[in-house]
Amino acid sequence: MRKYILLLITAFCVIRASAQQSLLTGKITDKNGQVIPFVSIYIRNSTYGTTANENGIYQFKLAPGTYNVIYRYVGYTEKIEEVTIADHDQEHNVQMADEVFATNRVAETYRKNRDAADTIMKQVLKKRKYYIEEATSYSCAVYIKGVQKLLSVPKSLLGQEVRKTLDLDTNGRGILYQSESLSEYNFQKPNKVREITIANRMAGQNTAFGYKKASDLQANFYQNVFTINGLATRGFVSPVASYGPRFYNYKLLGTSVENGHTIHKIQVIPKRGHGQYFQGDIYIVDGDWRIYSVDLFIENKTSNLNLVDTLKIRQQYVAITDSVWMPASTQYSFKGAVFGFKFGGYYAAVYNNYKINPTFPDNFFTGEILKIDTVANSKKPGYWADARPIPLTAFEDRDYKKKDAFEEYKKTDAYLDSLQHHKNHINYPGYLIFGYAASNKSNRDSLYIFPFIQTFYYNTVEGFGINAKVSYIRTIDDFHSLTVTPAVRYGFSNKTFSANMGFEYKNDPFHNAKFYADFGSDVLDLNNVGTRSLYFNTLSTLLSENNYVKYYRSHYGDFGYQREVLNGVFLKGGLSYSSRSQLYNTSFSKIKDIKDRQFTSNNPLAPPGTPADDHSFLFPDNQALVFNASATFTFDQRYETRPTGKFNLPSKYPTLTVNYRKGFKNIIGSDVDYDFASVDLSQDHIRVGLSGYSSFKVSGGGFFNNNNLYYMDYNHFLGNQGTTFDPTYVGSFHFLPFYTYSTNGAFLEAHYQHNFAGSLFNHIPLLRKWKLEEIIGANYLTTKNNRNYREFYVGIQRLIFRVDYGISYAGDKKYIQGFRIFYGIR
């Protein structure tokens, strides 16, 4: 009983102390009365701080007492004000003076050195590793605020309708998007992270980039490579990198004394005109040789930035203990222009309540790097007014209220009826390419009709045909949904009608679990990993006289289940039964007759020169009962948990997948008898310093029992025989023949690709303007039946120059492909 009484007394005291807090507010200006935005303000000898807003307004909640309040911003002299808080709100305005850096003291201190800045930076680099390691773990509270604004609109487009739609003033200015988040951030060496988002709020549509979690703004300039998510593919050389002097010149601009510390202001100057480098100033604490603050920027005209033209990064460090300093605030501000529309904005992070080297419970770090509380998105405006450390400007407050009111209106029947009518209106040109989607006003039921370019087709087996396909989705609740996909297909030349239906039931988004089933009949590709779509095969057949894809007929039924059984362990398995039969060419239409080119047989193993109407034997009618299973292991799997499910993130380690497939003999008439197994090892986007990123995939395996199987049961490879391909997909061959190398034996294939992200071409103005990227890669394949294939490619994003070499021995048949050069358009 005594325990509960003490708990109640403690809770009462906390509530009473909270109730006694008063609000300290004020405005920060320079000597001319101009506001200074985003000043860092914190209480001396504490980890409690805030940041002023765009209008220089700040606010603190403080219990009665006397405080030393520190005001810091790059370009101004740090100011310490003693403020006494009574039992009422108080206003305290502050005027900051321009920073003054003396140079005579610098010359005296470093008179024996040729370059004072180099001497200082050598000391900083000596202690760089120490500062990376000084806090083995910490936790803190993080508030992030982001605002994206439209700064101006071309006068020719600034009509009343545009102003109304974007909520702009008469000068074409307005807020497009703003967001806020409150999180608890936890970190432990070497790279364990766990963040819990307590509250989240946003208004407007973010169509560009955004930073809503604390890990997005963990700006650590002590690391050699500084990465900027969403705005740059490659990393940037930190001015404090161990090899920084190879890329930067440093210039000491002066020295001042701030809060008892001697601070050196050093200008950072890139040695090269173009590259992944910063410009601006860094401030260094004399003696400790640590970063005091940062004021750097990147320009798109000299670096490879996406979406924006200029990005500024400002950061302030404060002493948490006598030996450990941590960021008190970080700010990214940006500007850009698209088709005459000028935009800008910022993302600001405030860090509070640091705890250095706390003791975390066992199994605290589980791979879950972010967890969003189930009620995080439902916090009311009153909660935010009380919790946010950066006060809203009047403009931001008005935008929130207007968009909140619109969000409420969007829930009314009148709006939902109007929206449903608008969304469900068919756009025929859009349907031609993208298909047609419709839903009811609750979005519980939706229908998607596949685009016309995938519905009407031509191939030499079926002639002209119709492949009508729709997908119906029933959302039962936030965690359960059912998808039904019926399809009918008819070939006018071979007069073959097919109909099938697929089902998918998702029942646990926190484990990526679902049941799936399909049954019916269809005309399928003999290469079961895919060749060309109906649309592209139609174009190549009619326009280029290349009937690349080879088909067969199947009546089938299958079902399966998948689930992530443990974090990083994903299992999938299914059973299928099918009846297969061979098909032959029946139509030979073409729009353009290509000299010295004829259609080929629908038998991919027919020798060159076989006429297109060939009826040679490939396989007999057969039935197949097949079990397939796979297990995927993602080591050190990291993920985010949101109210709607679990979302896995890329791992820094390769992913291992084990596949198994078995054909059963003499069960319900099945003719097949084989066992196939393979292992895949792959990884995407391996960052390689400043040179971009690499990706690879290695696969190997084979049939350890091939007593009886048919061509469609072989192991096939993802190739390409046209002139269009995607060079960014790792795991495909860019010009490998679709069927030549398919095997019923063992195989080994390997793929490697490196994306230089413009590093070799950033001196060429046109390529830099287009933001093109150099890609190099290599693919390799060998099979047990003496077929080998290699290719090497190099290109600039959309334009690929490729050389390949292939050689094949199959029994008494010898095939030498030799060297070929290709030019492909992505």
Side-chain angles (χ1 to χ4, degrees):
M1 185 66 180
R2 181 182 300 174
K3 180 174 67 175
Y4 294 109
I5 293 174
L6 291 174
L7 181 62
L8 289 173
I9 292 173
T10 302
F12 176 77
C13 292
V14 171
I15 294 171
R16 181 179 176 87
S18 177
Q20 290 177 343
Q21 286 188 330
S22 299
L23 194 64
L24 173 65
T25 63
K27 187 176 184 178
I28 305 172
T29 58
D30 62 13
K31 63 182 180 180
N32 299 317
Q34 299 295 315
V35 299
I36 306 176
F38 305 115
V39 174
S40 292
I41 311 112
Y42 57 97
I43 305 302
R44 191 174 187 177
N45 298 324
S46 79
T47 62
Y48 183 38
T50 187
T51 299
N53 66 16
E54 280 187 283
N55 296 336
I57 305 297
Y58 72 96
Q59 65 182 30
F60 264 118
K61 282 191 174 180
L62 297 169
T66 299
Y67 301 90
N68 288 320
V69 184
I70 301 176
Y71 301 83
R72 275 178 58 186
Y73 191 69
V74 291
Y76 296 88
T77 300
E78 181 181 292
K79 192 164 190 174
I80 303 176
E81 296 275 292
E82 185 178 282
V83 179
T84 299
I85 303 297
D87 58 354
H88 57 82
D89 294 346
Q90 184 173 331
E91 182 177 347
H92 185 81
N93 299 323
V94 173
Q95 186 178 83
M96 298 183 70
D98 294 343
E99 64 182 3
V100 177
F101 284 87
T103 55
N104 56 346
R105 187 189 311 148
V106 175
E108 178 66 23
T109 303
Y110 298 101
R111 63 184 183 276
K112 296 181 181 180
N113 297 305
R114 181 179 179 183
D115 194 321
D118 289 342
T119 302
I120 293 170
M121 291 307 298
K122 285 179 181 178
Q123 298 299 322
V124 174
L125 297 185
K126 286 180 181 178
K127 299 202 69 175
R128 168 187 157 273
K129 188 174 181 180
Y130 170 79
Y131 290 131
I132 292 177
E133 303 291 339
E134 67 176 345
T136 58
S137 63
Y138 66 88
S139 65
C140 63
V142 185
Y143 168 80
I144 295 178
K145 178 175 178 58
V147 176
Q148 297 180 10
K149 298 181 290 185
L150 198 60
L151 304 178
S152 68
V153 176
K155 291 183 178 180
S156 59
L157 300 177
L158 190 58
Q160 184 175 356
E161 189 65 27
V162 172
R163 286 177 51 197
K164 181 180 178 181
T165 302
L166 299 178
D167 190 25
L168 308 179
D169 62 18
T170 55
N171 295 317
R173 295 174 299 188
I175 295 178
L176 299 174
Y177 171 80
Q178 59 176 326
S179 65
E180 297 176 280
S181 69
L182 282 168
S183 299
E184 173 195 318
Y185 185 78
N186 306 280
F187 174 82
Q188 187 177 72
K189 297 288 185 182
N191 58 359
K192 296 180 179 179
V193 171
R194 188 181 184 192
E195 179 179 350
I196 302 172
T197 299
I198 302 166
N200 230 347
R201 189 184 189 191
M202 62 190 71
Q205 295 294 323
N206 180 14
T207 58
F209 63 97
Y211 306 110
K212 293 190 293 184
K213 58 182 186 290
S215 55
D216 290 336
L217 290 177
Q218 290 298 301
N220 189 346
F221 283 95
Y222 288 114
Q223 300 289 347
N224 283 328
V225 179
F226 188 95
T227 58
I228 305 173
N229 295 329
L231 293 182
T233 305
R234 298 170 58 211
F236 293 81
V237 180
S238 169
V240 191
S242 58
Y243 43 76
R246 289 164 46 192
F247 298 93
Y248 294 104
N249 291 318
Y250 304 102
K251 180 179 181 181
L252 182 59
L253 300 180
T255 298
S256 68
V257 177
E258 303 280 0
N259 195 17
H261 298 285
T262 299
I263 309 299
H264 302 294
K265 181 179 181 180
I266 296 179
Q267 184 180 4
V268 176
I269 307 167
K271 289 184 176 181
R272 299 174 178 84
H274 298 281
Q276 306 303 103
Y277 316 121
F278 291 97
Q279 302 177 63
D281 305 317
I282 56 174
Y283 297 74
I284 302 297
V285 181
D286 188 87
D288 286 346
W289 311 115
R290 66 168 75 243
I291 298 175
Y292 185 71
S293 58
V294 167
D295 185 17
L296 298 170
F297 68 92
I298 308 166
E299 292 183 309
N300 186 46
K301 64 183 180 181
T302 57
S303 304
N304 291 292
L305 283 176
N306 299 322
L307 304 174
V308 303
D309 296 329
T310 304
L311 177 70
K312 293 184 178 180
I313 302 176
R314 292 187 175 97
Q315 192 174 43
Q316 302 282 353
Y317 280 78
V318 295
I320 307 303
T321 67
D322 291 339
S323 61
V324 178
W325 291 46
M326 300 293 286
S329 65
T330 301
Q331 180 195 345
Y332 288 11
S333 57
F334 55 88
K335 287 186 178 180
V338 178
F339 301 118
F341 290 83
K342 295 183 179 179
F343 63 90
Y346 67 89
Y347 283 88
V350 178
Y351 307 90
N352 275 309
N353 302 324
Y354 274 106
K355 294 179 178 62
I356 302 300
N357 298 329
T359 301
F360 293 112
D362 293 339
N363 300 319
F364 181 78
F365 296 99
T366 61
E368 181 186 54
I369 67 168
L370 175 67
K371 180 178 182 178
I372 298 180
D373 192 279
T374 54
V375 296
N377 295 323
S378 60
K379 303 294 186 182
K380 302 299 182 183
Y383 170 89
W384 285 104
D386 185 64
R388 67 167 61 92
I390 303 178
L392 296 178
T393 66
F395 197 29
E396 292 166 353
D397 185 52
R398 171 185 170 276
D399 181 72
Y400 261 139
K401 289 177 179 178
K402 186 169 184 177
K403 287 174 180 173
D404 284 346
F406 183 61
E407 287 298 319
E408 289 299 319
Y409 170 68
K410 286 166 65 175
K411 298 176 184 178
T412 64
D413 288 339
Y415 176 83
L416 292 174
D417 289 338
S418 175
L419 179 64
Q420 181 185 8
H421 176 75
H422 175 75
K423 287 198 310 180
N424 295 347
H425 175 73
I426 186 168
N427 180 306
Y428 290 100
Y431 161 69
L432 180 69
I433 301 174
F434 304 108
Y436 168 70
S439 62
N440 61 5
K441 63 183 181 182
S442 67
N443 284 323
R444 292 290 186 184
D445 298 277
S446 61
L447 183 72
Y448 175 70
I449 302 176
F450 286 73
F452 180 78
I453 62 172
Q454 297 181 24
T455 302
F456 181 77
Y457 66 90
Y458 176 82
N459 60 60
T460 54
V461 172
E462 302 170 274
F464 289 97
I466 298 292
N467 184 41
K469 190 174 183 180
V470 300
S471 182
Y472 166 76
I473 302 175
R474 170 64 176 174
T475 303
I476 301 169
D477 54 37
D478 290 340
F479 310 119
H480 301 82
S481 66
L482 175 66
T483 302
V484 181
T485 306
V488 294
R489 176 168 177 162
Y490 183 73
F492 290 96
S493 179
N494 67 350
K495 297 179 174 54
T496 300
F497 176 81
S498 303
N500 56 75
M501 186 172 293
F503 297 88
E504 183 179 273
Y505 175 63
K506 296 181 179 180
N507 66 318
D508 186 354
F510 293 96
H511 294 89
N512 193 16
K514 69 178 181 181
F515 295 90
Y516 55 90
D518 300 270
F519 68 89
S521 58
D522 207 349
V523 175
L524 302 177
D525 190 339
L526 282 165
N527 183 329
N528 55 26
V529 298
T531 50
R532 294 173 70 80
S533 67
L534 284 173
Y535 171 69
F536 279 106
N537 190 59
T538 297
L539 294 182
S540 62
T541 304
L542 292 175
L543 299 178
S544 302
E545 206 171 342
N546 283 317
N547 57 329
Y548 289 121
V549 186
K550 311 304 178 184
Y551 296 98
Y552 74 100
R553 174 84 164 152
S554 177
H555 294 79
Y556 62 89
D558 65 73
F559 68 91
Y561 180 68
Q562 67 176 43
R563 183 180 179 86
E564 186 179 39
V565 294
L566 295 171
N567 181 44
V569 180
F570 181 76
L571 301 181
K572 183 177 181 180
L575 190 67
S576 66
Y577 183 84
S578 57
S579 176
R580 293 93 61 96
S581 56
Q582 187 174 351
L583 295 177
Y584 308 97
N585 291 332
T586 63
S587 178
F588 308 98
S589 300
K590 52 195 171 187
I591 294 176
K592 184 179 181 180
D593 186 22
I594 306 300
K595 186 179 180 181
D596 298 327
R597 185 181 298 167
Q598 292 88 31
F599 287 130
T600 57
S601 169
N602 192 53
N603 180 352
L605 300 185
T610 301
D613 59 357
D614 165 56
H615 279 57
S616 61
F617 177 80
L618 179 63
F619 62 86
D621 291 354
N622 65 86
Q623 287 74 44
L625 178 65
V626 177
F627 170 75
N628 60 82
S630 67
T632 300
F633 303 91
T634 303
F635 305 101
D636 192 26
Q637 175 70 74
R638 297 189 172 194
Y639 61 94
E640 297 178 356
T641 303
R642 301 177 181 272
T644 55
K646 178 189 178 189
F647 299 86
N648 292 329
L649 302 173
S651 172
K652 67 176 182 178
Y653 298 106
T655 295
L656 175 68
T657 302
V658 179
N659 306 288
Y660 175 69
R661 180 160 48 99
K662 179 173 181 59
F664 295 97
K665 178 77 170 178
N666 295 328
I667 300 179
I668 57 175
S670 176
D671 300 308
V672 295
D673 182 9
Y674 65 85
D675 291 271
F676 170 85
S678 67
V679 177
D680 305 334
L681 191 68
S682 64
Q683 188 173 3
D684 286 335
H685 284 71
I686 307 168
R687 190 170 291 280
V688 185
L690 300 174
S691 69
Y693 56 86
S694 292
S695 303
F696 75 89
K697 181 179 180 180
V698 179
S699 299
F703 292 85
F704 53 90
N705 161 29
N706 60 358
N707 291 333
N708 196 40
L709 70 161
Y710 304 95
Y711 187 80
M712 67 285 293
D713 301 315
Y714 283 24
N715 187 68
H716 302 278
F717 304 97
L718 189 56
N720 185 27
Q721 289 181 257
T723 56
T724 63
F725 57 87
D726 183 358
T728 64
Y729 179 80
V730 179
S732 66
F733 293 88
H734 293 166
F735 286 94
L736 179 77
F738 294 133
Y739 307 98
T740 303
Y741 294 88
S742 299
T743 182
N744 61 354
F747 76 95
L748 173 68
E749 64 174 307
H751 309 264
Y752 172 79
Q753 178 177 295
H754 185 80
N755 190 321
F756 278 103
S759 62
L760 300 184
F761 296 93
N762 53 22
H763 293 279
I764 306 175
L766 186 59
L767 297 182
R768 190 169 64 249
K769 179 179 179 181
W770 287 349
K771 300 182 185 301
L772 298 182
E773 302 173 352
E774 188 203 23
I775 300 170
I776 66 167
N779 298 321
Y780 171 79
L781 169 66
T782 183
T783 62
K784 189 175 181 180
N785 48 354
N786 298 317
R787 291 193 178 102
N788 296 281
Y789 183 87
R790 300 171 180 85
E791 64 182 22
F792 169 80
Y793 55 93
V794 58
I796 309 172
Q797 197 175 37
R798 296 181 181 275
L799 311 178
I800 299 295
F801 172 83
R802 196 191 70 89
V803 177
D804 73 349
Y805 173 75
I807 184 170
S808 171
Y809 296 93
D812 59 349
K813 298 178 181 178
K814 182 178 180 180
Y815 165 70
I816 299 180
Q817 178 178 290
F819 286 96
R820 296 191 297 175
I821 298 177
F822 291 94
Y823 170 82
I825 302 176
R826 177 180 172 183

